[in-house]
Structures are given as structure tokens and as C-alpha cells.
Amino acid sequence: MKPKKIVVVGNGMVGYKFCEKLIAKDTGKSFELVVFGEEPRVAYDRVHLSEYFGQKTIEELTMAPLSWYAENNIRIHLSDPVMDIDRDTKTVRSHHGIVESYDYLVLATGSAPFVPPIPGVEKDGVFVYRTIEDLDMMKDHAKKSKRGAVIGGGLLGLEAAKALLDLGIRDTHVIEFAPKLMPRQIDDLGSRILEHKLNELGIQIHLQKNTQDIQGDERIESMLFADGSILEVDMLVISAGIKPRDEVAKMSGLAVGSRGGIVVNDKMETSDPSIFAIGECALVHHMIYGLVAPGYEMADVVVSNLLGGEKEFKPFDMSTKLKLIGVDVASYGDPFITSPNCKTIVYEDTQKGIYKRMNISLDGKELLGGILIGEAEQYNMLLQTVKNKTILPPNPEDLMLGSRGGSEEAGAGVMSLPDDALICSCEAVTKGNICHEVTANGISTLDGIKKCTKAGTGCGGCVPMVKDLINGTLKEQGVYVRNIVCEHFDYTRQELFDLVKINGHKTYNEVLDSLGKGDGCEVCKPAVASILASLWNEMILKKGQDTIQDSNDRYLANIQKGGTYSVVPRIPGGEITPEKLIAIGTVAQKYNLYTKITGGQRIDMFGAHVGDLPDIWEELIEAGFESGHAYGKSLRTVKSCVGSTWCRFGLHDSVSFAIEIEERYRGLRSPHKLKGGVSGCIRECAEAQSKDFGIIATEKGWNLYICGNGGSKPQHAILLASDISSEDCIRYLDRFLMFYIKTAEPLTRTATWLNKLDGGIAYLKSVIVSDSLSIGSLLEKEMQFMVDTYACEWKEVVNNPELRKRFTHFVNVPQQKDPTIQFEGMREQKRAMEWVK
Amino acid sequence: MGEVKRCLQSKNQAFNFYIDMSNRTTEKPITWHLACQVEDIPSDGGACALIEGEQIAIYNFSRRKEWYATQNLCPHRQQMALSRGMIGSAGEEPKVACPFHKKTFSLKSGECLSGDEFHIRTYPVKIEGDKVFVGM
Ligand SMILES: Cc1cc2nc3c(=O)[nH]c(=O)nc-3n(C[C@H](O)[C@H](O)[C@H](O)COP(=O)(O)OP(=O)(O)OC[C@H]3O[C@@H](n4cnc5c(N)ncnc54)[C@H](O)[C@@H]3O)c2cc1C
Ligand code: FES
């Protein structure tokens, strides 16, 4: 039988997904596919569009490469929108004049940003945020801009504002017409907390502002508001909502809604039964679904029905989680329902900027919906609880607050979900599907599950849950879940550490020959290198050991954009003499380095050629400096406040103590970097509670805190012991650090290590303070060995001609520097040339 | 200005690549260039040599008693860095990981092994005495 021909109009996310699903299910090849796309490239992941400004390339965002279409016999016309549908002859005509007949037509034309009719929207510097081309234009314009604004404080508007920040526009404003942010997702209180959080990020919020005019000659210069105020800007992104692309449908006489959208029934059929509409252009149940997951479901409905199945599109959950912005925001179920229709539990912490709300049925049995701001780790679990109508426990607030530092097992919650709980709504994968792959097919990795079920490949929001499910299922099967290092070593890091120690291995090749297989890789080499360094403390660049180090360790400096390195001498406790400051200045001047004060109270010099590193260090060492190990997974800095020697509040001499501790643990290699802090009083100017270990002076001695973290996942350090002496403090630190080094997985900071540690802080306290395992003195002894064998790595390189020789770019022309390295000027210094994206 | 130049450079690179492929199909004889001494390349690691104006990364995979050479430029963010990457194996395939974002490439085929559509050029290597030659 001759295959029937489907023409798909629009090659966006949903149009693509339709093709993918049809190809996968139409095993009998009863259809042929022709696609028209208006954009110049094949479908890409619009949901993660903002990542185009970060690490992702177009290739990485592409849903499937052009070759995929060819392999599956899909004829695709790009840069060629369909202009006209002739329903009588069942043909479409494209912009380039191609006429194509169809048996079925699928409209997946998506939507366009809605641009309100404000005078001046056509000016240079005004953008919308939807396609790669929009982003390219923004990128260009941002180079010449200092202050930017976004019209629209909804989900997309806030994402666009973050994008402006990422483009280097430090002064970014969000203009919202409504009296609150994200009016469709969160309530007033939530909006206030969110505003505050955004302010901290550098985004200014203006509510209840109605833009009347966009002023400037050719280029935007300012915005005039209805209240008479003016905001000067040189760049504006409009994100005021979406408008379904129904123009072609409308011209051909198909029914469209009064406010746009192609009208379809539960089977996604338009008023012409041979024409379907799916994705953001479709008006179903009187609404437009502006999210990707319902769009994928619509594609599935059409594919199923074309292949003879019976499937209807059911009202879809609209829970959302804002990504990327640096503040977690999520709403699920019905976030707005209020009493007397429900009971509401609210948790608010204005200091940390956390707001959580849960709406509970009057009988207290069911979760109806809620909001999470500032911390949304529980989002997936809460969403599942709503969707599955799970009966709530007696203290339902635990669900939203998370287990507070207790020893409860992470991930136990997901295992209690029913089998048909939808885990990945983008790809419609249930808990049952995932567990089945683990139990029946032995799939035990995230990548494996992604491949066979596609779970986690859409918006990515369910990935943590999928991981928990894999581990939970394995545990239920009695499989002891071990995180092995990589394909070359069937051991966890802790096992490997003990084995290397017992066998006394000193080199990577010995370890690989006796404990591993294959030829190693970029995962196990640095992991073993770190273990060897933590055990024997030998010079890490010893012959044969240099090439197992991560690139930064191999050159004892941090590689930066363009391939130059940065140089950071140690400045213990942040204390430095004027003479040493001058020495740094002299070196930086001589080698033309960009200088910046770091967050750890020292000075970073950027832009050094690899061949200059030994000379630079020779001069620094001459001036009395030593390596700062900024390149290593090792102790970075111990930050201090000025303390009792100068400060009128200071209780003890925090600087001297910080120096003592930094010098004790300098060069100590560990699973990840380590940072410390010492504050002279409770005012905590050294921010010690955000460090891996933090020490705060009390009237009677010191309080010792451990396992804090700054960075992208801030976590406050937890009190280990209070009012202790300096000696006890150092003893506990020795034990704590050594215990961490011996038991943590590779690249795990102390905070994450503690979160995963069975027994949590209570257990850790018993090991370190009460010495419940009787390993206290052993740990101290091991640490003392590290302290006694410390030597500055750079000093060894500077004095060793063999090692010095390795610091060249071209082995055959050692004097020549890499000619591709280029710098640009910026504020009287230089910066690395932006890399090609 | 500089940025435009680098873009052009990377486009040329792609262009060269295609020329290369066609060369290979017509079996154009390769010319061997003296790159460096054996001892210049660290064992189980790489280093970069400048040959005919091109940056070539040369790897001494001593565990396998094999030598490889590739372009030094990482196609991901156009960084001259592959020679400073760690080498190893994925299954049987010898590979190098770029120090910047750990994209990995087969040392044999030049194919990107971390799931991207990148490709790097590879070159034959021969050792004569203590000298390393690269065929281009
Ligand atoms: C910055 C941003 C962030 C987002 N974040 C999220 C998120 O976190 N979660 C979420 O669920 N959703 C998010 N979305 C929304 C999501 O991207 C859309 O729901 C999804 O892309 C809709 O897919 P679609 O195929 O219907 O439309 P589109 O992806 O817009 O594709 C439609 C395509 O059809 C083309 N077209 C239009 N008319 C014609 C014609 N006549 N002929 C040929 N081609 C035509 C268009 O050019 C376009 O390429 C986000 C969107 C943006 C812009
Ligand atoms: S530059 Fe090589 S992986 Fe990014």
C-alpha cells in the first residue's frame, strides 16, 4: 500500500517530537513525512535556550542533527515557511514556492512573543527572547550596553533578566505591570521574598509600572512610564506573553479562538479533520499550554490516533520550576487556593530568603498545591504527592521542609510512590517504567535510563528523582549501591584509598596494574593522584606522575580562557606586608598580568603564558612567597577578620589563629578543595560558617563549625564543638579533615559528603569528638605526617631544570609562545579574548 | 577585530578538514616531518609541536606502546589545549580529554566520544631512533 503523506508545518520542539514519535511507532512505514521549518536550523531545545549564553553550543542544543532526518527519510525544508494552505486540493505552498500535497497536515507553528503596541518598540536595542537569532543579536548589542531592562516579570521575563546579567549587563531592571512577580505562579508573600532575592543578584524590580513610550533617536535611550517616571536604558527585552502562530490556519478558514490559537478537540483535530494542531499554537480546552511537556503529550495523541489507537488529550498539570535564575522558584498543583476551601501551612525565613506554602485539603489528608521559593529541593516529591493524591503523614510540613539534618535516608520518599506515578512528564515515563528497566534489564546508570526510557531528556527537572529511583530500586533488590570510580576501577574511592595504602603503591601505573584494568582515564587518574598525594605527600610532578594530574595540577596553575594561566601565591590569613604587596605588583607589571583580589583574601594574577610560569615563581619565591595551591583540590585559604589586635569587638586574635591553621594544612591534597575561616567574635566578619571548617571566638574559647559551603549550593556549617581550646580545635580539625579525605567520593565537598553520610552529623560528632571508632589518634598521626612532609611545589620546580623544561607550549620551539593567545583591553588592564560559542 | 579573526580561523579549520578527507581518498602520499625528540613527550601524556605553522598535539601512550598525533585545537571552544589533556581509554578506544570541559576524543578516529558532533584531525606518527615524526 502506498504510504500516506503527512506534512508538518513548523520544526520546533513539538514538531520535532511528533516526527520522532511517529518514526519510532510507525514500524509498518505507513506514513511518509515532509517538514517545513521557518527557522534556518533544525529544531533545538528552546527550553534551555538561555544556556546558549553559557556553556552550551548550538550542536548541544539541537534535538537531532540534520542527518537524523535524512536517515529516517524525512524531507525537510528549512528557512522556508508555509504561506498558504489549500484545503480543497489538500496542498500547501511555501515561501519559496514549493507546493506539497498532503493526506494529513500537522500544524506545529508554536507561538511568537507578544509585543504590546508601545510607541518605539521598533527601535534599535529592543529585543524579544525566543530564537537563537534573537540571542545572537542580543549578544552583539550587549557589548555596547550598560543598563538593560525587561518588560514582563513572568517566568520568561525573569529568565531573560538573568540572561542580561550573564551577558555582562550589571545593571538590569525588570518592569512588571501587575503588583507582583510571576503573577500566574506565586502569591504576594512569595513575590516579595523573590524580589528581595533578585535584588541581591543585581536585578531591580519595578512593579505596577506601565510603559508608555520607548524613547531615543534610532536606538533606545530611555523608557517613559505612565506615572511620569523615566528609566534610562540602552537595551530592552520584551517578554510580555506569547501569541500563538495561527495566521496561516486562519487564512485557510480554520476555526481560531478570539484571542488566538487554532481550535482543536481532545484528539487535536482542527475544524478540518485531516488537519491537526499541536504545541503552543493549539487552543485546547479553551487554553494555550505554554510549556513543552503538554506539547509532547499532544504530539503523542496525534501519533497514537494516526496509527489507529484511541487517545485523548487530558487537562495537563501546569506545575513549573524556574531554572537558571540562581533562585529556586516553583509552584505546583493549585498554588492559590485559600481558606475556607483548604488549610494552608506557611514557612517563611526572611533572613535566608525562603518562603514555602502548602495547601492541604480540609480533612488534612491530601496536598492540593503550593509554592517554594529560595529552596525547591522538595519540588519533585511534593508534585508527586499532589498528582498521586498520596495520603499525607501526620506532620505534613516535614514534606516541604525536608528532613532537618536528621539521619533519615535520602530518597526513601520516592520509593513509596505508586508505580503509575509520572516521574518525567516531558516524556511520560512512570516510576514503574524506570524500576522495570532497573530490575528486568539491569540498567543501573542515569545515562542508561535516559537511553532506554528518554526520562530526564526533556526539561531535566526529574533527573534527581530518576537517580534516587535507580539507587532505591537497586537497594530494594539487595544490591549494595557502590559508586565505583570509573570503568577502570571496580572500587569506590574509599576502598581504593585503603587498598593503595595497604599495598603501599606509590605510582598510578602500579595502582592500575594491581587494582584496575584498561589504560585509565580523566576520571580515575586525578582521583588516584589525589589519593597518592594524601597518603605519601610526594611531589606531584615526579616523573610519570605529572600526566595523571588534572591540567591545573600538572602546570601548578589554573588554566583560563584562551589557554593562559593564573598565579596565586599563598597569603596566610590574608595578612601581607607592604613589601610583599610591592613584590606582587612588580611581578605583575613585568609579566603584564591582570590582577584581582580574590574572595579568599589573596591576589590572583591572570594571563600568564605557560612558559613564563617558572620565571614568575622564581621571583615570587625570592620575595618570600610560596605556592597558594589555588590550582589543587587542596586547602585554599583560611579567611580571617582582623580580630582582637585591632578590632574593639574582637575576643581573640583571629588572624594569628587563621595563619597557624592555614600553615598547618597548606598543600594538603583532598577529594575536593577546602576552605576555612576564623572570626574574632560572633559578628562573624570572616564568614566562617560558609566554609568547610569555620572557627568563631567565644568568651571561653572557640566554637568549631564544619561542612559549610558557599558557591552555587550554599549551606551553613554545623556546630561540632563549642567553647574549646586552640589545641582541641586543631585536634578535632586533624581528625575531621583526615576522616573526610579517607572516606569521601572524588570531587565531593565536605557539605555534600556530610549530606550523604549515613548517620549524619550525629555520627560524625561521635567519630570526631567522642572517638567512637577509636581512630582519633591514628587520624591525628596521619595528619601530623602530612604537616611534617609539606614542601612548596613551586620551589621544587624552580630549582629543578628537568621539571622547568616541561613548562613550554611548543616542545620543538620552547622560546615561542602560543600565537593564538590574544587579549583585549578592559579598565586599564587586559582580559582574555571571549571564546567562540 | 580579534574575535572575527578567530572565527575565520575556525571556519578555515573546518574547510581544511574536508580537503584533508578528499586528500585521503585520493591517497596523496604523506610527508613525514621531524617533530621532536622522544624524551620531549612525557610518558602517558602529550605535548604540542609546531609543524609547518600548525599546532600538533603528540601523545606518547607508553602503557600501550603507541604514539598518536592530533590537532591541538579543541573544537568545543576553540582552545589550543588538547596536548595538555589527560589520555586514557574508553573500552579499547584510546582517547584524550580536553582540560577545559573534559570533552573526550578518540585518538584513532578523532571522533568526539562525549556525545557531541565534533571531530578532530588525527595524524600518523613514526619513531626512528630517538626522533618523533608526524605525517601530514
Ligand atoms: C527562553 C524560553 C524558556 C522556556 N522555558 C521553558 C521551561 O522551563 N519549561 C517549559 O515547559 N517550557 C519552556 N519554554 C516554552 C517552550 O519552549 C515551548 O513550550 C515549546 O518550545 C513549544 O514548542 P512548539 O513546537 O509548539 O513551538 P516552537 O518551539 O516555537 O516551534 C514552532 C516552530 O514553527 C515555526 N513556524 C511558525 N510558523 C511557521 C510556518 N508557517 N511554516 C513553517 N514554520 C513555522 C517557528 O519558526 C518555530 O521554529 C520556554 C521558552 C522560551 C522562549
Ligand atoms: S574547549 Fe575543549 S572541551 Fe571545551
Side-chain angles (χ1 to χ4, degrees), chain A residues 740-759:
Chain A
Y740 159 68
I741 288 172
K742 295 175 92 164
T743 59
E745 280 168 29
L747 302 182
T748 307
R749 291 290 296 269
T750 54
T752 321
W753 169 68
L754 175 63
N755 294 347
K756 287 191 190 163
L757 195 68
D758 271 340

Side-chain angles (χ1 to χ4, degrees), chain A residues 54-57 59-60 65 143 487-488 509 512-513 518-522 525-526 546-551 554-555 559-563 565 610 805-806 809-813 816 818-820 822 833-837, chain B residues 2-3 6-7 9-10 35-36 39-51 55 61 63-64 72 76-81 83-91 95 97 99-104 116-118:
Chain A
Q55 292 292 330
K56 289 233 167 133
T57 58
E59 289 77 26
E60 287 169 284
K143 290 191 190 129
E487 63 171 84
H488 304 107
N509 274 336
L512 185 57
D513 289 339
D519 305 305
C521 67
E522 72 283 359
K525 284 186 172 183
D546 52 344
T547 50
I548 60 166
Q549 310 292 338
D550 232 324
S551 169
R554 179 167 168 197
Y555 293 95
I559 195 165
Q560 307 289 355
K561 269 188 189 168
Y565 287 87
V610 66
K805 243 182 71 187
R806 295 279 185 218
H809 187 71
F810 295 117
V811 280
N812 55 347
V813 253
Q816 189 170 328
D818 179 358
T820 63
Q822 295 176 54
M833 192 70 85
E834 195 48 57
W835 51 28
V836 187
K837 281 184 185 161
Chain B
E3 191 163 71
R6 286 196 86 163
C7 282
Q9 195 183 335
S10 67
C36 58
E39 58 163 44
D40 288 336
I41 314 288
S43 121
D44 287 317
C48 174
L50 188 63
I51 303 174
Q55 301 201 16
F61 210 142
R63 260 195 88 78
R64 295 165 63 126
N72 193 30
H76 174 230
R77 286 283 183 263
Q78 312 288 328
Q79 300 289 304
M80 283 296 181
S83 58
R84 299 182 203 169
M86 278 178 273
I87 60 173
S89 62
K95 63 173 184 173
F100 276 91
H101 313 96
K102 298 275 154 67
K103 303 269 179 208
T104 55
D116 295 295
E117 295 276 302
F118 298 123

Side-chain angles (χ1 to χ4, degrees), chain A residues 18 21-22 25 297-312:
Chain A
F18 172 80
K21 284 184 188 271
L22 189 79
K25 292 194 183 165
E297 176 67 12
M298 295 179 201
D300 200 61
V301 167
V302 177
V303 168
S304 300
N305 290 328
L306 284 175
L307 292 172
E310 283 281 327
K311 186 165 178 177
E312 284 182 359

Side-chain angles (χ1 to χ4, degrees), chain A residues 503-662:
Chain A
N503 295 319
H505 295 312
K506 295 276 173 77
T507 68
Y508 175 78
N509 274 336
E510 272 172 53
V511 178
L512 185 57
D513 289 339
S514 81
L515 303 170
K517 57 173 184 282
D519 305 305
C521 67
E522 72 283 359
V523 175
C524 59
K525 284 186 172 183
V528 170
S530 164
I531 290 174
L532 292 172
S534 298
L535 277 172
W536 318 120
N537 217 12
E538 293 180 336
M539 166 66 183
I540 61 167
L541 299 187
K542 251 185 28 183
K543 214 169 177 68
Q545 300 308 292
D546 52 344
T547 50
I548 60 166
Q549 310 292 338
D550 232 324
S551 169
N552 285 351
D553 266 329
R554 179 167 168 197
Y555 293 95
L556 302 178
N558 295 42
I559 195 165
Q560 307 289 355
K561 269 188 189 168
T564 61
Y565 287 87
S566 63
V567 172
V568 192
R570 185 167 300 290
I571 301 179
E575 183 185 82
I576 186 165
T577 61
E579 290 72 23
K580 280 190 160 176
L581 274 177
I582 291 169
I584 288 187
T586 311
V587 168
Q589 217 167 28
K590 176 164 169 192
Y591 294 93
N592 186 21
L593 307 176
Y594 165 89
T595 51
K596 164 144 196 351
I597 314 273
T598 71
Q601 300 185 330
R602 44 192 193 174
I603 298 170
D604 204 338
M605 293 171 259
F606 292 83
H609 289 272
V610 66
D612 286 341
L613 289 172
D615 297 341
I616 291 174
W617 274 102
E618 185 160 9
E619 295 188 29
L620 288 171
I621 287 169
E622 185 64 23
F625 286 105
E626 58 179 356
S627 168
H629 296 95
Y631 45 80
K633 302 294 176 223
S634 56
L635 179 80
R636 296 287 166 85
T637 62
V638 179
K639 189 174 176 177
S640 71
C641 69
V642 73
S644 59
T645 48
W646 293 91
C647 172
R648 63 202 162 100
F649 298 115
L651 294 171
H652 308 306
D653 180 2
S654 46
V655 179
S656 299
F657 201 36
I659 295 174
E660 183 183 344
I661 290 176
E662 181 159 344

Side-chain angles (χ1 to χ4, degrees), chain A residues 13-14 17 21 63 292-300 426-427 458:
Chain A
M13 296 186 80
V14 175
K17 188 55 66 173
K21 284 184 188 271
M63 310 285 299
V292 70
Y296 283 4
E297 176 67 12
M298 295 179 201
D300 200 61
C426 295
E427 294 288 343

